[in-house]
Amino acid sequence: VPDKENMRAVSLQLSEDGVQSKLVYTDDAPFLSARSGHVLIDVKACGLSPLNVKTLSAVQESQDGLPVGFEVSGMVKEVGPDVTSFQVGESVTGLLPLSSECSGCADECEISVFAIVNKPENVNHITAAGAILPGVWAYTALHYQGHVTAGDTVLICDGATANGLVAIQLAQLWGAKVMATAAQQEETDYLEKLEPPLAAVINMSKTKSLTETCLAETGGLGVDCVIDQGGFLIQLYIWINKSRQMDRCTDRQMDGLIDSWMDRQADRQN
């Protein structure tokens, strides 16, 4: 149990060569206070994954004792002097920036009021911390970047992942027709059981041409938006290029896969 002057926290320690890293626990981290525009959270749950280590190692190589844990959920313990949007005792969840000076994986963390939202009463802290990042990712992709509206057709790559599942539900909630890709049969079976059902589930292990499959499912119109979770289409492009060089893939399969993003209508990539 931490004393009144110190708290428990986890930080990332990098090796001199920047290759090896390890998470370090301490019980003597100083307690924080809320600055202007910030609140202090009594952390109840924090998301922690290998991505934290990889990301921090890449963007802050010169530092040591890096804070870890970006997705947090907890109770507001203290508010900054000018904060009126949140009150002490409220349950909130949010995302710490990579530039944060404090770990989310700690007894307490300080966070901007613009990086948190009130946690729904029927969602526990563990679920909230686990869902906030996929939620923000999906909303940003569909609304701010994809401008998805009712009646649009959306293709979500890797639909069985956490990000993919949130994106599927959000797009359906907005009235979009949703198709999703799956890497294997197990993922296909899972996606086909979702309610409301998807317009199509494309098993990539059995599909010869993603372009032609999408065009067939949409009556030749293509899709309005493709949500790629960071490299799916790029990796597919590389694989097809290699396969074509080995005479395992025809130009027909390659045609339009990346350049038209499964869509033969103009200006859809904007």
Side-chain angles (χ1 to χ4, degrees):
V1 178
D3 59 36
K4 63 180 181 180
E5 296 182 352
N6 300 296
M7 67 174 182
R8 298 168 295 184
V10 175
S11 62
L12 176 67
Q13 184 176 25
L14 301 178
S15 61
E16 293 183 0
D17 59 10
V19 177
Q20 299 295 326
S21 58
K22 62 180 179 180
L23 297 177
V24 179
Y25 166 84
T26 181
D27 57 6
D28 61 356
F31 273 111
L32 307 169
S33 60
R35 296 170 296 172
S36 174
H38 293 68
V39 300
L40 193 63
I41 296 179
D42 181 10
V43 179
K44 302 299 183 183
C46 173
L48 192 61
S49 72
L51 181 61
N52 284 216
V53 176
K54 293 180 180 179
T55 303
L56 287 168
S57 298
V59 301
Q60 301 186 33
E61 292 182 355
S62 61
Q63 299 184 33
D64 198 7
L66 301 173
V68 294
F70 306 129
E71 311 102 279
V72 295
S73 183
M75 306 280 290
V76 176
K77 184 176 181 179
E78 179 185 325
V79 298
D82 58 348
V83 174
T84 58
S85 52
F86 294 95
Q87 304 296 323
V88 172
E90 288 185 316
S91 293
V92 296
T93 182
L95 291 172
L96 286 163
L98 289 176
S99 59
S100 174
E101 297 179 357
C102 63
S103 287
C105 190
D107 286 317
E108 298 178 356
C109 74
E110 184 197 34
I111 188 169
S112 168
V113 294
F114 298 109
I116 57 174
V117 294
N118 289 109
K119 181 186 72 64
E121 292 184 2
N122 61 341
V123 177
N124 62 44
H125 286 292
I126 294 176
T127 301
I132 185 65
L133 183 57
V136 171
W137 177 92
Y139 190 90
T140 300
L142 291 167
H143 179 67
Y144 290 109
Q145 296 181 315
H147 307 291
V148 172
T149 59
D152 284 348
T153 300
V154 181
L155 172 67
I156 298 176
C157 301
D158 295 321
T161 62
N163 289 351
L165 289 171
V166 174
I168 287 171
Q169 295 175 71
L170 192 56
Q172 288 179 326
L173 181 64
W174 292 346
K177 175 182 177 181
V178 182
M179 303 189 298
T181 68
Q184 54 191 0
Q185 188 59 45
E186 184 179 6
E187 294 181 358
T188 302
D189 294 340
Y190 176 79
L191 291 173
E192 287 178 342
K193 295 178 182 178
L194 293 180
E195 292 291 342
L198 294 169
V201 178
I202 304 171
N203 187 337
M204 295 306 300
S205 66
K206 298 180 180 180
T207 300
K208 294 182 179 180
S209 171
L210 182 57
T211 302
E212 296 305 323
T213 300
C214 287
L215 290 172
E217 292 288 345
T218 58
L221 295 176
V223 301
D224 299 293
C225 178
V226 177
I227 304 298
D228 179 17
Q229 300 189 47
F232 171 82
L233 292 177
I234 300 297
Q235 292 300 318
L236 193 59
Y237 174 84
I238 294 172
W239 176 84
I240 290 179
N241 259 335
K242 290 181 177 179
S243 298
R244 185 168 62 179
Q245 292 170 5
M246 299 169 62
D247 295 327
R248 288 166 49 192
C249 181
T250 66
D251 287 342
R252 176 180 172 79
Q253 289 175 299
M254 186 63 189
D255 177 38
L257 179 59
I258 298 300
D259 293 336
S260 67
W261 289 75
M262 282 64 70
D263 188 344
R264 293 181 182 173
Q265 297 189 42
D267 301 324
R268 288 295 195 189
Q269 291 121 313
N270 294 337

